[in-house]
Amino acid sequence: MHRFHMLPGLVCSLFIITSARADQWASPTREEFFSEGSNFVAVIQPATKADGAKATMHKLTGGERTKVWEANLSNEASPVSASVSPDGRHLVTFDNWHRVGYGDDIVAIYDANGQLAKYSLEEFAPPPVAITNELSVVMGTNYLPRMAYFRLFSHSISSRWWKKDSIHFFFPGREPEFFCLWLDWDQRWVGWSLSNGSLIQVSEKQASHWTAEGRRRSLQQIESNPDDADAMNFLGRRHVGADRPLIEAWLKDTQFFSSYSHSSTKDDELTRFVFKSYSTKRQKADEMLSRWDGLASPDRSYHYNFLGSVQGVLRLPAPPGRSDGYLRIQLLPEGASSSTGLAAPVEHQLIADLAVHSPRGFREGRMHHLSLSTNVEFAIYGVTPGSYRVKAVWDKHTPFCGSTNSACAPGKGDVISTNLPLVIVRKGNAAPSVTVDCKTLVE
């Protein structure tokens, strides 16, 4: 019996996460973190060869700064972020530069006397017992430190992104007693006493007060910054009917990002390459509303319950090279103008920069570029249900239209589609694969 089959997706997920999300960290620089109300500012200076990382708290009065206190930080290089209490008496730092989620000072609390306390992720947010027990049986205890959190939140080569979708604040008011953190992946509040930095046992009454405060702050944050995903996620967790329209508005987001996926054989022959386009807001909104309505979310990428997707093949007159500009595909509502150019703005669009989005392989320890064919696969995810005509332009010659969601009038030497196939998109489904002939040369 192969007991390893009890964790069918774990190792596969680990490979996908770590290989798809490599890290690029610049050197840490001097950072400033302001209190709510901007009455205080903490200046964090990263460690140097001569000195360790340091935080200096200043009071702001009429544009002038007065030093209040200073503390040496335990971070080897620098924290990743920090939060300043409204009264300027406390500083809470998060994580370590280059290694988010690792170390014994993932959360550290400071005041004028220095560090009150510091905590590793395992200390204030241990993985559920069920996961650790299962891993112990299947893989042995040696794997627990590295593997126990993989099912719970995203990982990269260097980091554990434990704070995604979480919110935090000092409570209550101007002279707070606690630092509160909503740990989204564990669906609970974590609290620290500011008197000594100790973890507290959060009571039901405290959790209720903090939840109400969290919603108030999230609504306030979204009013000033409609793109705040953490605040929106917190509202999605609360299921307050008045907040639902805010989430539903994200289903109409028009900012689509382009990416790609590809696979190749051991001898670096390209087996499949797909240009992809998606909206992070649409994806997040569908996830939140699905959770709200108790709809299942199968464990696969780009799944939607309220939206759909379009996939197909773009047939070109020649294989596109890295210097051949952009491929632009738009979904136009049925009945829209069928002019030769591309409309602006549009709700759904894929823009592939051929210089950036190209297949790559490794041979003899070096990266090299692989060739595309005349048949190029594409997928547009998070599409509003409805009927669309698919239009494409190979923006092949300068001046390029570029990567912006704007009108694109093809010029001499560009290639356009003329068949404009019809696709019908339904909730929760991928439309049948469509073929777009983009072979008409602009004279």
Side-chain angles (χ1 to χ4, degrees):
M1 176 180 180
H2 296 287
R3 299 294 297 276
F4 185 75
H5 289 171
M6 293 174 64
L7 296 174
L10 185 59
V11 173
C12 180
S13 298
L14 170 60
F15 173 77
I16 291 172
I17 292 168
T18 56
S19 61
R21 188 173 180 179
D23 294 312
Q24 293 182 341
W25 289 85
S27 297
T29 58
R30 178 183 180 275
E31 293 272 4
E32 295 188 350
F33 297 92
F34 291 83
S35 66
E36 182 180 354
S38 298
N39 294 317
F40 294 88
V41 58
V43 178
I44 293 183
Q45 191 67 42
T48 65
K49 291 182 178 180
D51 298 297
K54 182 178 295 185
T56 306
M57 188 70 69
H58 299 269
K59 181 175 176 60
L60 301 175
T61 307
E64 298 294 326
R65 296 188 177 195
T66 304
K67 180 179 174 181
V68 180
W69 54 269
E70 188 174 79
N72 293 321
L73 305 181
S74 60
N75 305 91
E76 183 177 347
S78 181
V80 174
S81 60
S83 188
V84 178
S85 65
D87 56 7
R89 294 176 58 192
H90 294 91
L91 173 72
V92 178
T93 64
F94 300 103
D95 295 306
N96 283 285
W97 201 261
H98 299 294
R99 300 186 74 243
V100 170
Y102 292 102
D104 61 2
D105 48 4
I106 301 308
V107 172
I109 303 173
Y110 299 85
D111 67 7
N113 295 316
Q115 189 179 79
L116 291 174
K118 61 180 180 178
Y119 297 87
S120 67
L121 183 61
E122 287 76 8
E123 287 178 305
F124 70 85
V129 173
I131 289 181
T132 56
N133 287 346
E134 185 178 1
L135 282 170
S136 297
V137 172
V138 177
M139 305 184 74
T141 57
N142 290 338
Y143 287 91
L144 288 180
R146 289 185 295 166
M147 306 292 285
Y149 289 102
F150 268 100
R151 289 180 175 180
L152 305 176
F153 46 80
S154 62
H155 290 60
S156 63
I157 291 175
S158 74
S159 301
R160 304 186 294 190
W161 301 94
W162 64 275
K163 204 151 66 70
K164 184 179 182 295
D165 289 336
S166 298
I167 65 170
H168 53 78
F169 50 83
F170 293 90
F171 186 86
R174 291 291 179 181
E175 297 181 356
E177 299 178 34
F178 306 104
F179 182 73
C180 319
L181 185 148
W182 169 254
L183 198 60
D184 191 73
W185 59 265
D186 207 20
Q187 286 295 286
R188 66 182 178 93
W189 287 101
V190 183
W192 289 266
S193 170
L194 294 176
S195 63
N196 57 13
S198 61
L199 272 169
I200 67 169
Q201 185 70 36
V202 181
S203 67
E204 289 187 11
K205 183 176 181 180
Q206 285 175 317
S208 178
H209 287 320
W210 295 357
T211 296
E213 178 67 7
R215 178 173 179 264
R216 183 191 72 80
R217 287 172 176 266
S218 294
L219 288 169
Q220 187 179 59
Q221 180 65 18
I222 290 169
E223 185 175 356
S224 61
N225 178 17
D227 296 331
D228 194 310
D230 293 343
M232 191 70 78
N233 181 78
F234 189 79
L235 296 182
R237 290 289 189 187
R238 306 279 66 79
H239 297 179
V240 176
D243 300 339
R244 188 175 174 112
L246 294 173
I247 300 172
E248 292 175 336
W250 276 22
L251 292 175
K252 290 290 187 180
D253 178 55
T254 58
Q255 187 175 14
F256 276 68
F257 299 92
S258 295
S259 64
Y260 63 88
S261 65
H262 79 264
S263 58
S264 59
T265 59
K266 290 183 179 180
D267 55 3
D268 279 343
E269 290 184 5
L270 181 65
T271 57
R272 191 177 184 196
F273 184 90
V274 184
F275 287 112
K276 298 180 177 182
S277 182
Y278 63 95
S279 159
T280 54
K281 281 187 176 181
R282 285 173 178 245
Q283 198 167 8
K284 185 64 178 177
D286 198 288
E287 173 193 318
M288 289 188 287
L289 293 172
S290 296
R291 189 171 62 209
W292 190 315
D293 291 349
L295 301 177
S297 296
D299 185 19
R300 65 179 189 268
S301 298
Y302 306 111
H303 173 78
Y304 297 88
N305 284 312
F306 294 84
L307 303 170
S309 59
V310 171
Q311 56 193 1
V313 176
L314 188 65
R315 298 202 300 198
L316 303 170
R322 294 181 60 227
S323 60
D324 288 336
Y326 298 80
L327 297 177
R328 299 167 63 100
I329 303 171
Q330 288 187 345
L331 304 184
L332 303 180
E334 186 181 13
S337 172
S338 59
S339 62
T340 58
L342 292 180
V346 293
E347 190 174 355
H348 315 92
Q349 180 165 236
L350 186 155
I351 304 174
D353 182 348
L354 293 169
V356 176
H357 301 141
S358 62
R360 296 169 174 85
F362 287 87
R363 184 179 298 155
E364 297 178 353
R366 300 185 64 180
M367 184 186 75
H368 65 281
H369 293 273
L370 305 175
S371 299
L372 289 168
S373 71
T374 55
N375 291 346
V376 177
E377 291 188 68
F378 69 88
I380 301 177
Y381 298 102
V383 178
T384 302
S387 299
Y388 299 90
R389 293 287 179 179
V390 186
K391 180 182 285 191
V393 168
W394 183 0
D395 186 15
K396 188 176 182 181
H397 289 283
T398 57
F400 299 127
C401 293
S403 59
T404 59
N405 183 3
S406 58
C408 181
K412 184 177 180 180
D414 290 341
V415 182
I416 62 175
S417 65
T418 55
N419 63 327
L420 304 183
L422 177 69
V423 293
I424 299 175
V425 179
R426 294 182 172 87
K427 285 184 178 182
N429 291 306
S433 183
V434 62
T435 299
V436 185
D437 288 320
C438 187
K439 295 184 177 181
T440 303
L441 183 67
V442 178
E443 301 290 347

